[in-house]
């Protein structure tokens, strides 16, 4: 057995209280599904005096479609499993669905949250890739009030996010997108732990002519943090959807991705696998 | 911190440290050691329990997080220590080698079977992705799951938290109390059909009349245990071990509903 | 096929219900009144001097009873090693017990640590949390020393030295076979192929971590150790005689339910003597339960051989010589039987199922700054099988022959049995060609070319391997084990007692840790005596319940301990017949003992039949019985005259994704001959589990050490083991060739699935890559490794 060092625990009813706890207690940590945090506490790689559990804030567990702008609002405490059920019945979004289904295992999906998935800043968060493709916005509450961060600004480094110490994710907003939309997610799993060695999400808005009006690609697991491949996207926009050779050239030469190298795979392998997944997705979607 | 946990339908008020995991608490404070710890870090699945109807790894949940929640452990999955269909499957295929992974495997399969689907082999394996087993090579675990699925088949599911179950329990209560009027009033449609053995009764008046006979005739003195509670959208079925005027036996009961009330009702003793 | 009524049948496990209900008691589930808890502080470095330890803070922490280092252990002796590798030279640290007993590892480090994870001290506290809190507060001041993690490098001049008493880190050098003849044959051969084959370190990772609970009872001056032990009697002997120095009648060792072992729990570890010693010191029971991360760096690990081999033959497929020089990595200390596992179990096995005239194998076992080496399911034999099967593939490729043809041409024929394999083993029985033909057929070997073509269209490289193996089991004939250097007996034992009421209690020398012993051993008795299974109880795993027992390891349980149970049952039967003759007043040869019905009667008079219970009652009363001792109770000690040799053939088809390098096993077939079968359902389960183990080793598993000697795969996050989603559906067959050495005829069955699997996957993967001019890739075949090979040859 291994045990965390001692800490206090609160489970407030509102986000404002959460933020106040964080503001007042140096080193306090938010607890969502705990599947990232608890192992770190047990190994004592992270020590905290106070855990602030979000479980009692009911609104965080909701998913709804905003009637004003038809955007999808996902509370930060929505579990992968609830997200999957929702996407199964009420809202179609293949990229997000496939990513959510690929997370860990059944128990991890049952209990871990979308907020925790991205807030941890884990460079291999599966949900981060589709959320970036969807141009999602992260809605935060902190000591100084509410603000919104675009998904592509959210990750700043490995295990580093735009979150301030006293900020908590309220929800994630996915704007409504007109047009014919094709999307998907593919990943190469790390054999030991199921995280993506490399994961690619793709979303293509097609014009009637068959040309790509808006192509979006995001990667996770492969680089120091999840990110969009804007240069590559620019090269496919306005092209026929089958111009995949071009895209591959783009990937190889233009996007200065810092590919990760660690015990699970070299940067070279990750780079090549990113290409393979992009190609697979293009074949699948187009 | 005082934490309230309902474990296998029993309520516990426990004084736990915030840093105590649910697994540790269930094992050390409550003394239910069927839940195992293999890695204590969310990887191996030995510690899986059902938490409010879904399987989770209890080494990755703090006991305080589960305050006010309902938990089911391997000790609570079958009534009267009778093997349920998952356990029967494991037994049939000698899939319990060292047995250390088995409680976790059983809880995963319990979750799987509660999802009202007919998983195929690949889906069963997918469900077991988070259960490490170092002994069986998984094959006989999968066989066991298939056995359980086949046994519980026909797109029905075992319900742990069913709305119909409440109705059923209320019905049993009224039946035991002999309050047939109230029972019929609250639970049966006017034009309900009740079939028990060779009786066919139609209409409320007749129903009432018959029902009296029925009660006397089957005379369920005591429901010892209800297992296999299964429901679809507009029906529910159960099997129970009950003391009837035939002595102790297995009873099969099926209810078809219309507008929330019973429309057809079949009862029989099973061999 | 067989004439048995109960043996071999798929009888449901009597063990199951308790485990399925969560009622079975494992070590972590045990609780005693007033129990204290122990935790270890382990070394963070692979090689370092301990300059100082600051425990002052820990000692004052809540609940802490004591902090104990090596200097607190009084007269406690270090852990011994009890396997001095046979014929060559060997060097060990000394052990104070004397009499040539080699030193294993210290109980707690003394001034120096030699691997990351080595225990330095223990804290005992009221709760496990408190003990752990205290451990985390302790600061150790190290002087880090240069380290070595590779066996070959450890033997080089100037390598960091681990033990002062062991020059140049060499534990043992052992030659097997005929060196001169082998070298001459290689010189004379038309075709000679050399290859280096590296078999990496692996971690067994049973799902249950180890643990123990030591209890000293002051009133009776008795000790009891509850522990995850595959061998309670042997561990009692070693603890009592060579570590704690207490009379062994004062010590009881009990194994509760064990959550898998695969070799690791057959060893003596520091926690065992410590919990007993400290229990006496503080006057409370002391419990210790390991955690996964510490398990990964302190229980014995497996494999780790660096082999250089030469195969030689003519151009038509006749193999004339096989040579292997190997460096075995023993780790920092000799574990209980580690040196033997790393040497004899490899060196004497490299002939496989082949009749090779000239063989020579030389193994150098070295100490390195890694955790101790021990057994892992299929130990030694798996490595040896990889060696000969790989070399045969390479040879076949060189002379342009189908590897299956080469195998057939060189295979030992049934009429050659018993067969001297020229490196030390005498194979007992078997029809190797038959197994091989079955595997070829199962994989549709003659249609492989077409399947390869079809797969290529899907972007997959398809490959097929069909390998053969023979896996020595049934440890064993004690005199022969003594020659191999084992300090201890390895015979089997059993007691069968038919109670006056007809139930039967059987105590066995085996220790169940997931093999269904309670069911399968009962089947032996039921078969012999005609008693219903549910009237037979099987007692095991406790030094008080069982007269003696050598425990379970090396696939010995059913084949050796089972044979003893059969002999004891036969003796019971003979006595029952004698008594029946007396009762029925006929000659013994006139008595019919119908085991299928459990009836005993005089020939021609089935209506007079008595049951065994009635005969037993007479014998227990002893009023008027035949000229025999009263009671119906028999104990047997049985040393088999030879080892047994289960064998088989495995066929694997893989598909490699050309783009990602991912290896998928699409078909995995094994035909195994383990002699007489105890329970087919149980046996298939053993096959599946062992095959899965082999797949893990071939595709995923590797304990990796950095140059600083630190384990870079310390948790399940980094160390991959097979999951339900990564394994195929196994297909298995059995044939039955009983061993002639016992009346039961069973051979070892627990490991065969692993032994054949790893090498066959190697064959299949290299076959899939053969168009790229690849002839060998070392395991594990991780996707990136395979991808790199594909990339390199595309260029
Ligand atoms: C065995 C296993 C396998 C896994 N496999 C995968 C996988 O394949 N793919 C994958 O993407 N992930 C995987 N995960 C990670 C998992 O899916 C979650 O992403 C992770 O556990 C974090 O989510 P959580 O809800 O558990 O958050 P926690 O662990 O509770 O929190 C994580 C971090 O985020 C902070 N945080 C949480 N919520 C908020 C919020 N609302 N506002 C601000 N900060 C917050 C916390 O303070 C903490 O620092 C795996 C985890 C395990 C244990
Ligand atoms: S013990 Fe909880 S997942 Fe391993
Ligand atoms: S039966 Fe031993 S781990 Fe599954």
């Amino acid at each position: 057995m291994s045990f965390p060092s001692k800490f206090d625990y609160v489970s407030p009813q509102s986000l404002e209280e959460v933020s106040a706890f964080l503001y007042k207690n140096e080193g306090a940590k938010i607890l969502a599904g705990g599947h990232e945090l608890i192992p770190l506490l047990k190994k004592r790689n992270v020590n905290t005096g106070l855990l602030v559990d979000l479980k009692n804030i009911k609104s965080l567990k909701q998913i709804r479609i905003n009637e004003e702008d038809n955007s999808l609002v996902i509370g930060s405490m929505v579990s992968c499993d609830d997200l999957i059920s929702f996407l199964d019945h009420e809202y179609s979004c293949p990229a997000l669905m496939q990513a959510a289904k690929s997370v860990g295992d059944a128990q991890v999906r049952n209990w871990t949250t979308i907020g925790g998935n991205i807030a941890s800043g884990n460079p291999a968060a599966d949900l981060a890739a589709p959320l970036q493709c969807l141009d999602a916005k992260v809605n935060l509450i902190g000591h100084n009030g509410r603000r919104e961060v675009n998904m592509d600004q959210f990750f700043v480094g490995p295990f580093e996010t735009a979150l301030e110490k006293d900020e908590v994710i309220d929800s994630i907003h996915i704007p409504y997108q007109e047009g014919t939309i094709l999307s998907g997610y593919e990943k190469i799993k790390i054999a030991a732990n199921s995280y993506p060695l490399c994961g690619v999400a793709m979303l293509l808005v097609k014009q009637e002519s068959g040309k790509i009006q808006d192509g979006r690609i995001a990667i996770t697991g492969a680089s120091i943090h999840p990110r969009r491949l804007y240069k590559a996207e620019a090269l496919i926009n306005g092209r026929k959807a089958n111009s995949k050779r071009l895209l591959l050239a783009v990937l190889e030469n233009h996007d200065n991705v810092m590919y990760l190298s660690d015990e699970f795979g070299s940067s070279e392998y990750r780079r090549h696998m990113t290409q393979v997944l992009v190609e697979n997705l293009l074949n699948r979607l187009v | 911190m005082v934490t309230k946990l309902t474990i296998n339908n029993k309520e516990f008020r426990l004084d736990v440290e915030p840093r105590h995991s649910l697994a540790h608490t269930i094992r050390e404070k409550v003394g239910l050691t069927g839940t195992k710890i293999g890695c204590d870090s969310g990887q191996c699945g030995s510690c899986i329990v059902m938490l409010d109807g879904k399987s989770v790894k209890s080494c990755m949940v703090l006991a305080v997080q589960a305050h006010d929640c309902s938990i089911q452990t391997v000790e609570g999955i079958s009534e009267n220590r009778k093997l349920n269909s998952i356990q029967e499957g494991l037994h049939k295929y000698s899939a319990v080698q060292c047995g250390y992974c088995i409680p976790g495997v059983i809880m995963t399969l319990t979750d799987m079977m509660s999802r009202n689907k007919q998983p195929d082999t690949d889906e069963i394996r997918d469900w077991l992705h988070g259960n490490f087993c170092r002994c069986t090579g998984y094959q006989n675990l999968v066989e066991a799951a298939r056995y359980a699925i086949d046994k519980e088949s026909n797109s029905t599911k075992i319900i742990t938290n069913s709305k119909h179950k409440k109705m059923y329990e209320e019905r049993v209560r009224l039946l035991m109390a002999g309050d047939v009027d109230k029972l019929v009033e609250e639970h049966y449609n006017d034009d309900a059909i009740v079939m028990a053995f060779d009786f066919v009764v139609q209409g409320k008046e007749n129903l009432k009349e018959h029902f009296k006979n029925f009660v006397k005739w089957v005379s369920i003195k005591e429901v010892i245990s209800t297992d296999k509670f299964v429901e679809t959208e507009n029906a529910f079925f159960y099997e129970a071990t009950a003391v009837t005027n035939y002595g102790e036996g297995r009873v099969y009961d099926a209810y078809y509903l219309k507008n929330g009330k019973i429309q057809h009702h079949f009862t029989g003793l099973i061999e | 096929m067989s004439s048995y009524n109960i043996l071999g049948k798929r009888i449901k496990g009597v063990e199951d219900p308790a485990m399925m209900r969560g009622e079975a008691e494992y070590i972590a589930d045990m609780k005693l009144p007033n129990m204290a808890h122990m935790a270890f502080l382990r070394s963070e470095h692979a090689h370092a001097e301990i300059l100082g330890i600051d425990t002052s803070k820990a000692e004052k922490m809540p609940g802490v009873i004591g902090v104990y280092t090596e200097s607190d252990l009084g007269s406690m002796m270090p852990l011994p090693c009890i396997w001095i590798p046979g014929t060559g030279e060997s060097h060990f640290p000394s052990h104070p017990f004397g009499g040539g007993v080699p030193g294993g590892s210290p109980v707690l480090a003394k001034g120096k640590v030699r691997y990351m994870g080595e225990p330095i001290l223990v804290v005992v506290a009221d709760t496990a949390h408190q003990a752990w809190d205290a451990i985390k507060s302790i600061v150790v001041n190290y002087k880090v020393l240069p380290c070595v993690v590779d066996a070959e490098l450890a033997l080089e001049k100037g390598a960091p030295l681990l033990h002062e008493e062991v020059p140049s880190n060499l534990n043992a050098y052992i030659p097997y076979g005929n060196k001169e003849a082998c070298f001459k044959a290689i010189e004379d051969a038309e075709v000679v192929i050399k290859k280096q084959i590296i078999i990496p370190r692996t971690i067994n990772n049973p799902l249950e971590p180890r643990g123990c609970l030591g209890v000293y009872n002051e009133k009776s001056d008795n000790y009891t150790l509850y522990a995850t032990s595959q061998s309670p009697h042997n561990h009692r002997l070693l603890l009592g005689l060579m570590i704690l120095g207490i009379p062994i009648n004062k010590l009881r060792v009990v194994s509760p339910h064990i959550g898998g072992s695969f070799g690791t729990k057959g060893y003596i570890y520091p926690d065992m003597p410590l919990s007993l010693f400290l229990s006496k010191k503080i006057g409370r029971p002391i419990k210790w339960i390991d955690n996964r991360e510490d398990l990964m760096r302190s229980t014995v690990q497996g494999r780790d051989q660096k082999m250089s081999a030469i195969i030689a033959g003519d151009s038509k497929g006749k193999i004339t010589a096989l040579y292997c020089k190997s460096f075995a990595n023993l780790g920092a200390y000799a574990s209980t039987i580690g040196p033997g596992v790393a040497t004899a179990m490899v060196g004497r096995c490299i002939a496989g199922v082949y009749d090779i005239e000239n063989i020579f194998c030389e193994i150098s076992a070295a100490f390195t700054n890694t955790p101790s080496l021990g057994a892992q399911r299929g130990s030694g034999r798996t490595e040896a099988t990889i060696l000969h099967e790989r070399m045969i593939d390479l040879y076949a490729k060189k002379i342009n022959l189908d590897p299956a043809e080469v195998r057939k041409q060189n295979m030992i024929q049934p009429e050659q049995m018993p067969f001297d394999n020229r490196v030390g083993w005498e194979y007992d029985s078997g029809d190797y060609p038959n197994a091989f033909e079955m595997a070829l057929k199962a994989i549709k070997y003659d249609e492989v070319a077409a399947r390869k073509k079809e797969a290529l269209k899907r972007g997959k490289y398809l490959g097929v391997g069909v390998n053969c193996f023979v896996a020595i089991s049934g440890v064993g004939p004690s005199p022969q084990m003594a020659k191999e250097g084992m300090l201890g007996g390895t015979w089997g034992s059993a007691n069968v007692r038919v109670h006056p009421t007809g139930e039967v209690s059987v105590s066995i020398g085996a220790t169940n840790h997931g093999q269904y012993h309670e069911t399968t051993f009962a089947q032996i008795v039921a078969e012999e005596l005609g008693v219903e299974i549910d009237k037979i109880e099987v007692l095991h795993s406790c030094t008080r319940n069982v007269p003696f027992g050598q425990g379970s390891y090396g696939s010995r349980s059913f084949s050796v301990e089972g044979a003893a149970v059969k002999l004891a049952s036969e003796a019971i039967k003979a006595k029952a017949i004698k008594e029946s003759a007396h009762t029925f007043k006929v000659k013994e040869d006139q008595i019919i003992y119908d085991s299928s019905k459990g009836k005993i009667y005089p020939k021609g008079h089935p209506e007079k039949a008595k049951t065994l219970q009635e005969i037993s009652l007479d014998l227990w009363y002893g009023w008027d019985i035949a000229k025999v001792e009263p009671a119906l109770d028999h104990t047997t000690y049985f040393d088999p005259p030879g080892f047994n040799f289960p064998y088989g053939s495995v066929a694997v088809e893989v598909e490699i994704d050309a783009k990602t390098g991912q290896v998928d096993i699409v078909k995995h077939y094994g035909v195994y001959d383990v002699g007489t079968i105890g329970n087919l359902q149980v046996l298939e389960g053993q096959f599946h589990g062992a095959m899965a183990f082999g797949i893990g080793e071939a595709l995923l598993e590797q304990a990796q050490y950095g140059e600083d000697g630190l384990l870079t795969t310390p948790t399940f996050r980094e160390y991959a083991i097979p999951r339900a989603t990564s394994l195929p559906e196994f297909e298995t067959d059995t044939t039955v060739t009983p061993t002639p050495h016992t009346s039961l005829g069973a051979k070892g069955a627990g490991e065969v699935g692993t032994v054949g699997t790893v090498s066959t996957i190697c064959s299949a993967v290299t076959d899939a890559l053969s168009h790229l001019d690849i002839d060998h890739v070392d395991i594990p075949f991780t996707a990136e490794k395979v991808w790199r090979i594909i990339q390199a040859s595309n260029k």
Side-chain angles (χ1 to χ4, degrees), chain B residues 103-116:
Chain B
V105 166
I106 290 175
M107 298 323 288
T108 295
L109 296 180
T110 302
D111 191 356
M112 178 185 84
M113 298 201 32
S114 74
R115 302 292 177 117
N116 201 16

Side-chain angles (χ1 to χ4, degrees), chain B residues 5-63:
Chain B
L5 304 175
T6 305
I7 305 178
N8 303 332
N9 297 323
K10 239 169 111 179
E11 202 180 294
F12 295 87
R13 281 180 173 278
L14 305 163
D15 188 19
V16 301
E17 283 184 46
R19 63 171 170 163
H20 286 165
S21 72
L22 181 60
H24 177 83
T25 305
I26 292 171
R27 289 176 49 79
E28 306 296 330
K29 298 256 167 182
V30 182
L32 291 171
T33 54
T35 302
K36 301 293 176 220
I37 294 179
C39 69
D40 216 12
S41 61
Q43 307 283 341
C44 76
S46 310
C47 64
I48 295 171
V49 300
M50 294 289 278
L51 201 161
D52 282 346
K54 284 188 183 180
S55 57
V56 302
K57 292 170 178 163
S58 63
C59 72
M60 286 289 98
V61 177
L62 301 174

Side-chain angles (χ1 to χ4, degrees), chain C residues 331-519:
Chain C
Y333 301 101
S335 65
T336 318
I337 56 165
V341 167
T343 53
M345 299 303 281
V346 179
R348 298 206 186 284
C349 296
I350 65 161
V353 297
Y354 307 103
D355 180 357
I356 302 173
E357 192 66 44
N358 303 291
I359 311 194
F360 180 59
C361 180
E362 48 188 338
I363 301 186
S364 304
F367 290 111
T368 70
N369 296 110
T370 58
S372 297
L373 189 89
Q376 165 157 4
R377 200 170 200 171
S379 55
R381 294 143 292 179
T382 306
E383 297 92 303
T385 304
I386 294 172
L387 180 98
H388 60 67
E389 293 301 274
R390 287 288 47 237
M391 294 313 286
I392 289 180
D393 281 351
L394 291 172
Y395 169 60
K397 188 164 179 169
K398 180 85 173 213
I399 57 172
N400 233 337
L401 263 183
D402 185 332
E405 285 313 311
V406 176
R407 288 194 165 86
K408 283 184 203 168
Q409 214 188 110
N410 293 280
M411 206 171 279
I412 297 160
Q413 299 300 311
E415 54 284 4
Q416 289 176 273
M417 292 292 169
F419 182 87
D420 172 358
N421 83 346
R422 302 187 183 91
V423 263
W425 302 143
E426 187 182 87
Y427 300 160
D428 58 345
S429 62
D431 186 346
Y432 304 154
N434 177 51
F436 190 49
E437 290 297 342
M438 284 175 76
L440 290 171
K441 207 167 145 202
I443 202 86
K444 301 204 176 83
Y445 194 70
D446 38 10
E447 296 165 22
V448 171
R451 294 208 295 281
K452 281 188 183 226
K453 250 193 205 155
E454 183 278 331
L456 203 56
K457 284 188 204 142
R458 292 182 281 114
K460 308 273 185 185
Y461 302 141
L462 184 146
V464 167
V466 187
N467 281 188
C468 302
F469 71 92
V470 53
I472 183 173
S473 295
V475 177
S478 301
Q480 219 172 325
M481 285 306 289
K483 275 189 212 150
E484 295 301 333
M486 175 80 109
L487 305 175
T490 49
W491 33 261
S493 58
N495 171 270
V496 176
R497 176 178 300 168
V498 183
H499 296 289
T501 43
E503 301 84 12
V504 183
S505 295
V506 188
S507 47
I508 58 173
T511 301
N512 190 11
H513 48 282
Q515 300 93 335
Y516 280 106
H517 287 167
E518 291 169 32
T519 307

